[in-house]
Amino acid sequence: MKSIKNLKLAFTFIGTLIGAGFASGREIALYFADTSPISPMLGGVFCGAFCYIFAELGRISHGDILGYAFKNVAKPALAVIKISNLIIFCVMLAACEFIIKNLFGISGGTVISAVFVLIVIYFGVEKLKLLNFLAVPLLVALIVYVFIVAKPAVLPFHSFYWHKPLLYAGMNILSGGFLISGLAKDIKPTDSLAISVAVAVVLSAIMVIIYLIVQEYHTLAMPLLARAAELGL
């Protein structure tokens, strides 16, 4: 039962990191197109490490990471996070409009997606964790399926840049770190470690797979979607 609870937290963290850029493959292409597969793999490891830090901070602070870390400036820090999340949300809605229009030929993807988000929020955080527990493995399965069908050539290793994985993880950590810190108030140190390891393993695997799929499509707006469409998926 505890392992299921930890997986729900890990997948919720991953689901928070997976935005429009990640799911479309564009983010991976921008950061790692000219690097070796070690770079996206290490990006997943860094995300797992940051997850551990924020989970532990959430556990120590009993879910009040801003009050614990920033004290008198907790409210301005929260405002920065909310503004950042609003920007990310707008980008996600724009991506949903594009994808729904391309896949189903209908307009209004922005409204459809916004309504869906509001419904999820209405049902509360436990339903959010359950949704991610179902959606993230499904996304992983779909990405693996595209990889199997695509049979991408394993290209020669390019240069390795250690700073790109770190920058990638840092760019994605704000929303996910804040969320996981609030959900980690009742966990134990061993749970923090288990959650972070799951995050690192899953993210590293799918980031390398996406990296291999989009290598020859990295200049496109949504390379993973383009590759899947080319395969008739």
Side-chain angles (χ1 to χ4, degrees):
M1 191 66 180
K2 179 176 283 191
S3 60
I4 297 296
K5 179 182 177 181
N6 287 342
L7 280 176
K8 283 184 178 180
L9 289 173
F11 289 158
T12 299
F13 179 81
I14 293 171
T16 306
L17 296 191
I18 294 177
F22 187 104
S24 66
R26 184 58 180 160
E27 207 171 83
I28 306 299
L30 281 173
Y31 272 84
F32 304 117
D34 60 343
T35 70
S36 80
I38 298 174
S39 294
M41 181 180 68
L42 192 56
V45 172
F46 279 136
C47 286
F50 283 143
C51 176
Y52 176 79
I53 293 171
F54 277 89
E56 278 295 280
L57 285 172
R59 182 184 66 81
I60 294 169
S61 66
H62 303 290
D64 184 20
I65 187 173
L66 294 181
Y68 177 80
F70 294 99
K71 294 182 172 58
N72 296 331
V73 292
K75 288 185 177 180
L78 180 60
V80 170
I81 293 174
K82 287 185 175 182
I83 292 171
S84 174
N85 283 342
L86 178 61
I87 294 170
I88 294 169
F89 182 54
C90 291
V91 173
M92 288 293 296
L93 291 180
C96 289
E97 178 73 33
F98 179 86
I99 291 173
I100 291 174
K101 179 70 174 179
N102 278 269
L103 289 180
F104 305 110
I106 60 174
S107 300
T110 300
V111 176
I112 295 170
S113 304
V115 170
F116 177 74
V117 169
L118 289 173
I119 292 172
V120 173
I121 292 172
Y122 173 79
F123 282 108
V125 70
E126 288 303 318
K127 292 297 187 293
L128 176 65
K129 288 191 286 187
L130 178 61
L131 177 63
N132 279 283
F133 185 66
L134 300 174
V136 171
L138 177 60
L139 180 64
V140 172
L142 289 171
I143 291 172
V144 170
Y145 181 65
V146 173
F147 176 79
I148 292 171
V149 176
K151 299 176 182 177
V154 179
L155 301 179
F157 279 35
H158 302 290
S159 300
F160 168 70
Y161 302 101
W162 67 267
H163 66 283
K164 287 192 174 184
L166 186 60
L167 289 174
Y168 176 84
M171 176 195 70
N172 280 293
I173 200 61
L174 183 61
S175 298
F178 179 67
L179 178 64
I180 199 69
S181 69
L183 300 177
K185 57 184 178 181
D186 297 322
I187 66 174
K188 297 179 179 179
T190 51
D191 296 326
S192 297
L193 182 61
I195 292 166
S196 63
V197 169
V199 167
V201 170
V202 174
L203 277 179
S204 294
I206 58 177
M207 285 170 66
V208 170
I209 290 172
I210 293 174
Y211 163 90
L212 293 172
I213 294 172
V214 305
Q215 276 296 299
E216 298 177 358
Y217 301 80
H218 62 87
T219 58
L220 301 179
M222 292 191 170
L224 185 59
L225 181 64
R227 184 66 177 119
E230 184 181 81
L231 296 168
L233 303 177

